[in-house]
């Protein structure tokens, strides 16, 4: 098990380029199964989860070629459906949360799909009901074997339907969209997710020949087509990494420029960091964070304590609440962090408390952070990364802390952040992988 040894208290300085968006990549890669023609994808992040999904696609019979450091060409001409029945497939799919999005494309093109319960971060309940209910409405028949193995098949072709999703699930919406583009007739999806990742998927499918209306809204209308062709696609920069770098700059009092951010796609992320008192400058498509000795959390107009909570897009993404929380520990003021979607994502705060942060964990969903205003530095400790996002939040805390910290289980961080130690060391961090 790898670990990071982090010597904190160093000022960082320089430019950093965000990787391609992990959450987009997992959808886009599954979509290559919808067409027998070549599909070229650029800005693919070199991270563990994405690499494992590419390996799985290759084992399924998809031809995979690498055209450059972050550019791949895929051709799903001869997919090996028999591979779905092998223990190797089961083992691979169990490791990846994103493997659930194989269901829609396989079902739409081949009439059958199966999957064990997929893995991913242990951040609380993550039910798959939205995926299966939506696919069943399109005509799929679901069989559950044991407690955690799912088989789907359809007699003939999937058929368009009108549905209201019980939650605006990004991956659930993606799965249903990928199934509906090859279904017969019209599919109407109310309460659809509309995150930039999902918009990117829909635009790529349209370039492949799909007919999708309402992209960017919570109402999608899809007219099924007979087949899809090839295309070229470039992924967005990872908004979670961009937010992480903003938080890192503020927490360490560093001057950092984040390059090529696709700022219009970031939604309210920049404004949410501004509510913590963090200064941001937009320079074209770059975000410059000047060095700040102090930053002060805003209050509401009546003086009451600010609340930062997650919500479906265009609300604030839950993947950045861990970063907001850790950055608030050295702000001036108090903030309530409300994690609505997952009940286990705030449990990493005990490590921050051990480092000297003032945090009250109110319940599994809410934590109150009383900022130290840099009157007292956090101090280094040994800790373990519980999931991808909390792991990077702890890394930011360690980089700002007095002394040396050791972060165990950094394989979790590697699942979502590309060579994060090397990239941060290049702008002045002191992180050693051991």
């Amino acid at each position: 098990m790898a670990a990071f040894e982090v010597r904190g208290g160093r000022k960082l300085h320089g430019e950093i380029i965000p990787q391609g968006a992990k959450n987009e990549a997992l959808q886009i890669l599954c979509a290559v199964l919808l067409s027998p023609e070549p599909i070229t994808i650029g800005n693919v992040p070199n991270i563990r989860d994405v690499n494992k999904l590419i390996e799985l696609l290759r084992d399924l019979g998809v031809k995979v070629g690498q055209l450059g450091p972050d550019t791949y060409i895929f051709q799903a001409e001869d997919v090996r459906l028999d591979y779905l029945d092998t223990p190797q497939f089961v083992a691979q799919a169990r490791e990846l949360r994103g493997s659930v999005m194989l269901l829609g494309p396989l079902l739409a093109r081949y009439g059958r799909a199966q999957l064990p319960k997929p893995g991913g971060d242990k951040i609380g309940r993550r039910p798959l009901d939205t995926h299966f209910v939506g696919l069943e409405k399109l005509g799929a028949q679901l069989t559950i074997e044991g407690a955690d193995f799912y088989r789907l098949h359809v007699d003939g072709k999937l058929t368009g339907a009108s549905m209201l999703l019980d939650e605006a699930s990004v991956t659930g919406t993606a799965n249903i969209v990928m199934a509906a583009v090859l279904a017969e007739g019209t599919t109407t999806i109310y309460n659809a997710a509309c995150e930039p990742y999902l918009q990117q998927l829909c635009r790529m499918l349209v370039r492949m020949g799909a007919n999708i209306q309402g992209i960017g809204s919570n109402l999608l209308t899809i007219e099924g087509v007979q087949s899809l062709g090839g295309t070229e696609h470039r992924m967005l920069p990872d908004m979670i990494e961009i937010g992480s770098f903003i938080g890192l700059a503020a927490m360490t009092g560093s001057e950092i420029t984040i390059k090529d951010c696709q700022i219009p796609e970031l939604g309210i992320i920049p404004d949410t960091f501004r509510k913590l008192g963090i200064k941001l400058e937009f320079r074209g498509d770059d975000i410059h964070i000047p060095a700040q000795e102090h930053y002060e959390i805003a209050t509401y107009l009546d003086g009451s304590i600010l609340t930062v909570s997650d919500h479906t897009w265009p609300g604030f993404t839950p993947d950045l609440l861990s970063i907001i929380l850790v950055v608030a520990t050295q702000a001036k003021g108090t903030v309530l962090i409300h994690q609505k979607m997952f009940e286990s994502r705030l449990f990493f705060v005990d490590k921050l408390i051990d480092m000297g942060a003032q945090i009250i964990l109110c319940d599994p969903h809410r934590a109150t952070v009383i900022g130290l205003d840099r009157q007292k530095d956090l101090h280094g400790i040994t800790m373990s990364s519980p999931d991808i996002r909390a792991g990077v939040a702890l890394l930011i805390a360690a980089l700002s802390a007095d002394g040396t910290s050791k972060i165990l289980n950094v394989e979790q961080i590697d699942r979502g952040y590309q060579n994060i130690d090397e990239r941060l060391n290049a702008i002045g961090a002191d992180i050693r992988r051991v």
Side-chain angles (χ1 to χ4, degrees):
M1 182 182 293
F4 286 156
E5 282 187 358
V6 184
R7 186 158 67 91
R10 296 170 66 93
K11 301 287 187 184
L12 312 185
H13 187 275
E15 297 180 346
I16 193 163
I17 301 173
Q19 66 188 27
K22 175 206 170 190
N23 289 342
E24 179 186 343
L26 298 177
Q27 300 177 29
I28 295 296
L29 292 176
C30 291
V32 305
L33 290 167
L34 287 166
S35 171
E37 296 186 18
I39 297 172
T40 301
I41 302 175
N43 204 24
V44 178
N46 180 20
I47 55 177
R48 186 178 169 198
D49 278 11
V50 169
N51 292 337
K52 282 183 173 292
L53 183 55
I54 291 173
E55 180 184 345
L56 192 157
L57 290 170
R58 185 182 284 114
D59 290 342
L60 268 172
V62 178
K63 296 176 184 175
V64 181
Q66 189 164 1
L67 305 179
D70 64 358
T71 304
Y72 290 79
I73 185 166
F74 300 87
Q75 188 168 10
E77 192 174 18
D78 298 306
V79 174
R80 293 176 46 210
L81 291 181
D82 59 321
Y83 188 68
L84 299 176
D85 299 311
T86 65
Q88 291 84 358
F89 171 76
V90 173
Q92 286 174 302
R94 281 197 195 281
E95 289 188 17
L96 288 168
R97 180 71 184 177
S99 65
V100 70
M101 287 178 287
L102 296 169
L103 294 175
L106 287 172
L107 193 61
R109 191 165 163 209
Y110 298 103
R112 63 168 285 217
Q114 60 195 53
L115 197 74
K117 185 176 181 179
D121 286 336
K122 306 304 181 186
I123 54 177
R125 292 171 295 169
R126 305 174 78 180
L128 299 175
D129 298 55
T130 301
H131 299 256
F132 293 119
V133 170
L135 294 173
E136 284 182 306
K137 284 185 177 295
L138 295 176
Q141 299 177 45
L142 170 67
T143 303
I144 304 175
E145 297 180 2
D148 63 354
F149 196 89
Y150 310 99
R151 294 185 188 273
L152 288 160
H153 77 278
V154 60
D155 297 324
K157 287 198 69 174
L158 296 172
T159 305
S162 178
M163 63 186 78
L164 170 65
L165 304 188
D166 60 349
E167 62 170 335
S169 163
V170 178
T171 55
T173 303
N175 234 340
I176 296 164
V177 167
M178 289 188 283
V181 292
L182 292 179
E184 291 183 342
T186 304
T187 298
T188 304
I189 308 173
Y190 292 88
N191 195 32
C194 60
E195 272 79 353
Y197 316 129
L198 202 284
Q199 295 178 43
Q200 285 279 96
L201 172 67
C202 289
R203 293 188 186 108
M204 172 179 154
L205 293 173
V206 168
R207 291 195 302 274
M208 293 168 65
N211 185 343
I212 306 173
Q213 304 297 320
I215 298 171
S217 76
N218 299 112
L219 173 59
L220 294 176
T221 303
I222 303 165
E223 291 285 343
V225 297
Q226 287 294 317
S227 62
L228 296 176
T231 190
E232 294 183 1
H233 179 81
R234 182 170 177 81
M235 295 184 192
L236 290 173
D238 196 307
M239 68 171 74
I240 311 306
E241 212 179 58
I242 292 168
S244 300
F245 294 151
I246 293 171
L248 170 65
M251 190 72 169
T252 59
S254 301
E255 181 180 0
I256 295 175
T257 299
I258 310 169
K259 303 291 290 182
D260 305 326
C261 292
Q262 294 279 319
I263 293 171
E265 303 291 347
L266 297 178
I268 66 170
I269 289 171
D271 284 341
T272 303
F273 280 99
R274 287 185 173 119
K275 288 180 181 179
L276 297 188
I278 298 169
K279 296 176 183 176
L280 306 176
E281 300 171 9
F282 293 164
R283 299 178 176 178
D285 213 22
D286 302 341
I287 298 177
H288 178 74
I289 305 98
Q292 285 181 252
E293 285 303 314
H294 299 277
Y295 48 99
E296 184 172 354
I297 300 169
T299 61
Y300 291 112
L301 292 176
D302 62 359
S304 56
I305 294 172
L306 177 72
T307 296
V308 178
S309 60
D310 57 335
H311 206 281
T312 51
W313 194 268
F316 192 68
T317 172
D319 283 347
L320 278 174
L321 273 186
S322 301
I323 307 299
I324 290 287
L325 188 150
V326 75
V327 172
T329 63
Q330 283 294 0
K332 180 181 180 181
T334 301
V335 62
L336 176 66
I337 305 296
H338 190 175
Q339 169 63 263
K340 297 175 182 176
M341 295 187 186
F342 304 105
E343 68 269 21
S344 301
R345 244 186 175 164
L346 296 181
F347 289 165
F348 78 101
V349 303
D350 60 336
K351 284 92 170 173
L352 297 176
I353 293 170
D354 289 344
M355 297 177 79
Q358 294 187 348
I359 304 172
I360 301 168
L361 186 60
C362 309
D363 56 44
H365 292 276
R366 296 177 301 161
T368 301
V369 184
I370 301 97
L372 298 170
D373 192 24
R374 300 201 197 279
Q375 298 301 307
K376 180 184 177 184
D377 289 335
L378 300 181
H379 54 265
I381 63 169
T382 296
M383 48 194 159
S384 181
S385 170
D387 62 72
I388 299 172
R389 308 309 177 187
V392 169
L394 294 174
L395 177 59
I396 291 171
L399 287 165
S400 74
D402 181 30
T404 299
S405 297
K406 189 171 186 178
I407 304 175
L408 308 175
N409 196 29
V410 297
E411 289 87 356
Q412 287 283 358
I413 299 174
D414 291 336
R415 289 177 48 221
Y417 291 80
Q418 175 177 310
N419 303 324
I420 190 68
D421 49 336
E422 297 174 13
R423 295 158 69 206
L424 294 182
N425 284 343
I427 58 171
D430 188 349
I431 306 169
R432 192 162 66 95
R433 188 180 290 261
V434 295

